[in-house]
C-alpha cells in the first residue's frame, strides 16, 4: 500500500555494477553470508570484487554469542543476583571479552585483511553478526600477539552497517534529487505510513486528534499528526 516502504523492505536486487557505482576510492563494501558447512564474505571496491571462504556459520555464531554476552554483562541484571555475584559475573565477562573479540575477528576479518585497506567500510552482516558492533573487534592488520594491545577497527576505519546492498542503491537514488534539509534537527522514529496504521486507528478511536472527521482527505492529517 506504500510503494516507497515496499521498495525499501523488498527492493530489487542490486547488480555488481550498481553497487560499485555507489563506492568512491575510500570506500569498500563488505557482505557476509553465514552457512553450513562454510560461510562466505565478499569485499567490493569501485573497480574489483573478491570472495572469501570462512568458517561454518555455527562456529562464527558461537563466537558472536560469546562476545555479545561479554558486551552486555555490565548493563544486564540477573534475577536474584547479589551485588557480589554481579561483580564476579561482570569481571569474568570483561576478561572474556578480549578472547571472544579476538576469536571473532580472526574468523570474519582476518581472511579479508588484505582487502580491508579503505578508510570507510560499508558492512552488510548476517545472522548473529547483525547483533554486534564491528567497531569493537581487533583490527586484523595489527601484528601484536596480545589482543588487548591491538588497535580496534573503529580506530582505523569508519564503519557503517547496512541492511543490504540494494537498500544502499535505493537510498542513493532517492537522495540524488532531494533538496538539502532547511533545518538543523533530525528526528528518528517509527513513521506512520497510512491511515490503516494501528496507531492512527487508535488515535481516531480515542479522539486524541480533535476536530478531524473520517473523510479520506482528513485521514492524511491524522497520519501526519501522529507521525
Amino acid at each position: 500500500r506504500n510503494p516507497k516502504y515496499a521498495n525499501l523492505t523488498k527492493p530489487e536486487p542490486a547488480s555488481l555494477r550498481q553497487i560499485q557505482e555507489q563506492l568512491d576510492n575510500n570506500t569498500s563494501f563488505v557482505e557476509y553470508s553465514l552457512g553450513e558447512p562454510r560461510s562466505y564474505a565478499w569485499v567490493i571496491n569501485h573497480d574489483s570484487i573478491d570472495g572469501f571462504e570462512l568458517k561454518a556459520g555455527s562456529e562464527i555464531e558461537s563466537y558472536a554469542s560469546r562476545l555479545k554476552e561479554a558486551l552486555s554483562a555490565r548493563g544486564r541484571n540477573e534475577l536474584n543476583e547479589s551485588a557480589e555475584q554481579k561483580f564476579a559475573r561482570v569481571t569474568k565477562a570483561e576478561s572474556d571479552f578480549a578472547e571472544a573479540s579476538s576469536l571473532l575477528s580472526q574468523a570474519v576479518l582476518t581472511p579479508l585483511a588484505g582487502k580491508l585497506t579503505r578508510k570507510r567500510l560499508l558492512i552488510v552482516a548476517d545472522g548473529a553478526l547483525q547483533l554486534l558492533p564491528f567497531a569493537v573487534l581487533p583490527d586484523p592488520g595489527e601484528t601484536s600477539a596480545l589482543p588487548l594491545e591491538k588497535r580496534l577497527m573503529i580506530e582505523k576505519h569508519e564503519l557503517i552497517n547496512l541492511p543490504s546492498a540494494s537498500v544502499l542503491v535505493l537510498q542513493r537514488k532517492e537522495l540524488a534529487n532531494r533538496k538539502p534539509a532547511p533545518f538543523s534537527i533530525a528526528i528518528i522514529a517509527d513513521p506512520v505510513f497510512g491511515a490503516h496504521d494501528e496507531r492512527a486507528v487508535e488515535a481516531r478511536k480515542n479522539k486524541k486528534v480533535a476536530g478531524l472527521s473520517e473523510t479520506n482527505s482528513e485521514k492524511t492529517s491524522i497520519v501526519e499528526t501522529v507521525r
Side-chain angles (χ1 to χ4, degrees), residues 34-200:
L34 304 187
E36 303 296 334
R38 61 189 64 84
S39 302
Y40 297 92
W42 295 268
V43 178
I44 300 176
N45 292 312
H46 70 94
D47 58 354
S48 65
I49 177 172
D50 295 276
F52 303 87
E53 187 175 306
L54 308 178
K55 294 176 179 288
S58 56
E59 188 172 350
I60 292 175
E61 294 215 339
S62 70
Y63 297 153
S65 297
R66 183 178 170 187
L67 181 57
K68 179 176 176 287
E69 183 75 15
L71 283 170
S72 62
R74 181 174 292 278
R76 190 176 65 252
N77 293 316
E78 301 286 355
L79 186 65
N80 299 324
E81 184 179 51
S82 67
E84 292 78 11
Q85 289 172 325
K86 181 173 183 177
F87 178 79
R89 176 172 59 81
V90 171
T91 300
K92 180 180 182 302
E94 290 180 345
S95 65
D96 193 46
F97 169 79
E99 183 178 358
S101 61
S102 180
L103 286 172
L104 188 59
S105 178
Q106 290 172 28
V108 301
L109 293 177
T110 298
L112 291 59
K115 295 296 179 178
L116 301 180
T117 57
R118 309 292 169 96
K119 176 66 176 178
R120 185 180 302 107
L121 301 179
L122 309 181
I123 299 176
V124 175
D126 188 27
L129 294 179
Q130 298 176 84
L131 305 176
L132 294 170
F134 276 66
V136 304
L137 297 180
D139 181 353
E142 292 291 304
T143 57
S144 174
L146 299 176
L148 289 177
E149 293 183 1
K150 290 186 176 182
R151 294 173 64 194
L152 302 181
M153 288 291 287
I154 195 173
E155 297 181 73
K156 186 175 178 180
H157 299 281
E158 176 187 345
L159 298 133
I160 301 171
N161 289 90
L162 295 170
S164 72
S166 301
V167 168
L168 171 64
V169 174
L170 177 65
Q171 288 179 327
R172 290 285 175 83
K173 281 184 178 179
E174 290 196 351
L175 291 173
N177 299 316
R178 182 183 295 181
K179 294 181 180 179
F183 305 109
S184 58
I185 182 171
I187 300 176
I188 301 174
D190 185 11
V192 174
F193 284 97
H196 59 277
D197 189 288
E198 62 182 15
R199 291 164 293 174

